Structure formats: structure tokens, C-alpha cells
Amino acid sequence: MKFNITTPIYYINGEPHIGHAYTSIAADILARFKRLDGFDVHLCTGTDEHGIKVARTAKKEKMDVVEFSNVVSQKFRDMSAAINMKYDDFVRTTEERHIKSAQAFWKMLKKEDVYKNVYSGWYSAQDEEYVAEADLDKNRRAPSGAAVEWMEEESYFFRLSAYQDKLLDWYEKHPDFIAPASRRNEIISFVKGGLRDLSISRSQFTWGIPVPVDSDSDEEKSELKHVMYVWIDALTNYITSFGFPNNKAYVSEMMENCTHIVGKEIIRFHAVYWPAFLMSAGISLPKRIFAHGWWTNEGVKMSKSVGNVVDPRDIIQRYGLDVLRFFLFREVRFGEDGDFSEAALQKRFSYELANDLGNLVQRVLAFIQKRGGNIVADYDISDADKSLLENSRKLIEKMRPFMDKQYLHSALNTVWDLVMEANKYVNDMRPWELAKTDEKRLNVVLTVLCESIRSIAFGLAAFIPDTARKIFNFINVKGESFGEISANFVDQHFPQPSVLFPKEK
Ligand code: ME8
């Protein structure tokens, strides 16, 4: 079965930061979970390289825009490697395959949906978005706080107004299309408020994909001067990755199984404009769009000018990658806003990873080592063992519905409940005492504990893959598929474990 998932493609006007890392890790977690669950996964990310914002930043940096794009795009690839994101495709909008895809997509828009007119109005280069007069704030800025400039140019328009009812109908028939519910409601009321046609080309600058021309008509010259509005170019990246414009039926099939993970500030582009474009082009809509919240740093919005942007590389260097991956999804319900603070990260590291998880694994496996490293599996279980054993075997089953809804936080809570139950079981069963009194019972207890540790490692494998890999190695498990979770432990010799989360960081 197919499972396709995307991150936004990131603008290359700045360095990657914790916000980009957050979305990419979320998509990676969902992709990893599905891979372990036997799905055929396609995880796509990339960089959004056209538009006035990037062109201006390159100019400011006194760099050629192509060279600038190469340098910054590489930084986003490096970020993916640093956060252990296993992507299947990385789309750059300056790639030939994408330019062809975006132009073919443009041509597939219904003829009656595209018309030429003059655009005049406010534009926020920071947001790469048109802002209606009524939406300007009291300082005459965009709702995001960004400056706007007056724009007057010849432009192609997309007849978005014709899609109001079709979109509302789609949202109604597909209640899971937009999540969480708060975003869905926001989008529905936005669309109900009326849709204005959207300017989809620019003629005052050239850093973009040329609007394609159909013939050698007289109009050709003027059309060639237009480049596509950066958002229609950017959104098309999702189908570029599926090989568009080749094999359109396949592209549609892939889209139907595709989940877009985005930040809440770009939900409208994904849940209103993109579906309308796709309807017009006759390509299937994505399965789901999930918008997560925004991170602040110690309560303050992150921005380059304030100088408070959290660099994931710095956190990874000081605490380790899995501490960061764990913190981001343990600390905040996915979908809600979050506040980054090192004190909170330190707490999660020391109380939960080092104590709850690290000590559990260490206590049990070091105990087995002390007895020579051999585990003699015994499944003569009593009522006292049943709950932990059953909860261990059912862990993935319990996590699945949460993961299917992108409730990463609830899925992680489910794993943590098991960690706590296993810790309690150790305390209640007191294996160190059984070692002196009841060898047979000790074997049962150790078998149950090894099963629970194996399940915990599977439950965590998508979230903190390096740590899960270490645990798998300690207990001779391949760790490649959830199918391994219920295998019986046969007589095993375990290697010497090491400490998972050394405290002296
Ligand atoms: O919008 N908290 O790119 P972008 C959480 N190119 N997430 C954050 C964040 C924060 N403080 N800051 C950034 C664009 N993000 C377009 C997208 S898609 C066809 C085109 C994440 O570089 C979040 O996912 O501004 C947000 O939506 C994305 O980065 C914006 O990245």
C-alpha cells in the first residue's frame, strides 16, 4: 500500500532553523512509522527558489541568484541529514524536471479559468502574498506584520471565484481533508466569506518559471515576459515528485494517497488555492492537509532581526539528535503552538529519556549481563504478567489510529505509558530477589521485560531511530518491521549494553 507525505518546500532566503526542522522531523516520523508498518512510502521535501523575496536576498548578498540558490538549497539538504530525515525525493523548483512540470500544469488549467487583466494592489514580498486593502493592519502592514508594496502590472488571473461552491462541497464530503478541526473551520469560513480571483503571474521581474505559450501568436512576446506567481510554481512541486507531466493517471493515484504537512500560516495556499488549481487541471486532490502550530523561543517570535532563531545544529551538538526529536513531539501536541526553552528540553532529557527509558533498559539488560548475558525465554506467564505483555504486543495497534491522524503527541504518550508500566513491573517483580529464590519465575519476568523493551523500541523507532537501533542491537532484534514485535524470544545471548543517554552532557 502506498503512503505519500510531503513537507513544504522551504524558501531559500534564510538558513534552516528549528521551525523547518520541526516539520521535516514530523514528516519523517510519519514516514518511518508507515515503512515499519509495511507501506510503500514516498517522503518528499525540497526548496522553493523563485520569487521576488529570493531574488532580492541574493542581490543583498551580492551573489548571482543561481549560485545563491545552489548554496542555500544545499543547506536544507544538510539540515535533512543532520536531523536524520530519510526522504525519497528532494525537489528544487529550479530543476528542469520541475520547470517542465509547472509549465505543463499551467497549460492543463481550464482555459476559461485563466484570463489576462491588470493587477493593482498590495503585495507582501516577505509572505509572497497579495493582501487585500481591508486586511491591512493599522500600520498598513500585512496580517503577518510584513511590509507591503503597491503593485500594478499586467497579470494572468486564475478564476478562483468559480471554485467557492466546489471547494465547500469537497470539504463537506471529505471531513478529514483539513486537520486539525480548528484549521478546517478557519478555512471553511474563509471560503464562505467569498473568493477573489488570484493573480498568478508576474511581469515586473524575471526570477521565476516563464508562463508557457501555446502558439506563435502575436501575444507570444508579451506572454514570455510573464513568470509564474511563486506559489503556483511551488505547489506544483508535489506532483513534480510523482513524475508529472508523465503518466497523469499515476500522478492522480499518488495524490489521493498524499498527506501534506504544513505550518498553519500556509494552510490557505494548500487547502484553498492548491485544490482549486488541481480541480481545474483535472488532477486528484491530496488525501489530507495537516497544519501544525508555530514555535516561539522563550515566548518570543523567532526572527533574524531579533537574533533569537534556534539553530537545530546547536541543540543536536549539545544534547544529541534524539533528544531534540523527542522533545519536539513530547512537549507540544502536534497542531498546537509551542514554546522552545532549554530548561524544558533539559527536563525531558533527564527525567524521561535518561531516567524513565534509559534506566529501564539499563536495569534489565545489565541484570541479564550480570547473569552471563543469556536469556532463557519462558512464557509460563501468570496474571501479574498479562497486562504488561498484552500492552506490549498491542502497542503498535494502539498507536496506529493516532499516527493515521497525525496525532504524534498521543502516539508518543501511548509508548510512554508502556515505559512507565514496565518500570512499575520491575519494581513490583523485584528480579534481583527472584535471582536468589525462584529461577523459573525470574526467566518469565525477564522474558516479559525483554518483550516490553522490544515493543517500546518499536514504538519509538519512528521518533528516535538512533536510540531504537541501539536497543534493537542490545536484544538481537533486526528492527525492520513491526511484524517482529510478537516473535517469541528463543534462547538468546545478548551483547553488553551501553548507556543510552549518558547524563554528563
Ligand atoms: O512558506 N514554527 O516556505 P518557508 C513552526 N516556500 N514551523 C515553522 C516555523 C516556526 N517558527 N518557521 C517555519 C514557505 N516553519 C513556502 C512553502 S510549499 C509549496 C511552499 C516551517 O521557508 C513550517 O512548516 O517560509 C512552515 O509552514 C514552513 O516552515 C515555512 O517555510
Side-chain angles (χ1 to χ4, degrees), residues 12-27:
I12 51 162
N13 63 304
E15 305 257 324
H17 61 64
I18 195 98
H20 308 114
Y22 182 54
T23 320
S24 288
I25 295 172

Side-chain angles (χ1 to χ4, degrees), residues 95-209:
E95 285 173 85
E96 200 53 40
R97 63 167 173 158
H98 175 73
I99 294 170
K100 281 198 183 122
S101 160
Q103 290 184 329
F105 185 66
W106 179 289
K107 282 190 179 174
M108 273 173 70
L109 297 174
K110 269 200 210 121
K111 292 281 163 284
E112 64 263 35
D113 285 343
V114 179
Y115 62 91
K116 223 185 235 176
N117 206 333
V118 173
Y119 174 80
S120 62
W122 299 104
Y123 191 77
S124 155
Q126 175 59 35
D127 304 325
E128 292 282 14
E129 187 177 16
Y130 307 94
V131 184
E133 177 76 36
D135 291 336
L136 295 177
D137 68 13
K138 61 178 188 316
N139 302 315
R140 301 199 57 76
R141 286 176 162 261
S144 66
V148 292
E149 55 202 293
W150 184 254
M151 217 49 103
E152 218 169 295
E153 59 183 342
E154 185 191 60
S155 164
Y156 283 98
F157 282 77
F158 177 76
R159 213 176 290 282
L160 188 63
S161 54
Y163 285 85
Q164 179 171 3
D165 291 342
K166 291 186 190 113
L167 288 167
L168 289 171
D169 188 52
W170 186 269
Y171 304 147
E172 198 184 314
K173 292 202 174 111
H174 302 86
D176 295 326
F177 184 60
I178 305 168
S182 53
R183 299 290 157 224
R184 177 181 147 80
N185 296 340
E186 176 189 309
I187 288 298
I188 290 176
S189 69
F190 172 77
V191 175
K192 278 189 175 156
L195 294 175
R196 286 160 20 119
D197 290 352
L198 185 69
S199 162
I200 52 166
S201 76
R202 304 292 307 273
S203 49
Q204 283 183 353
F205 70 98
T206 54
W207 183 234
I209 297 181

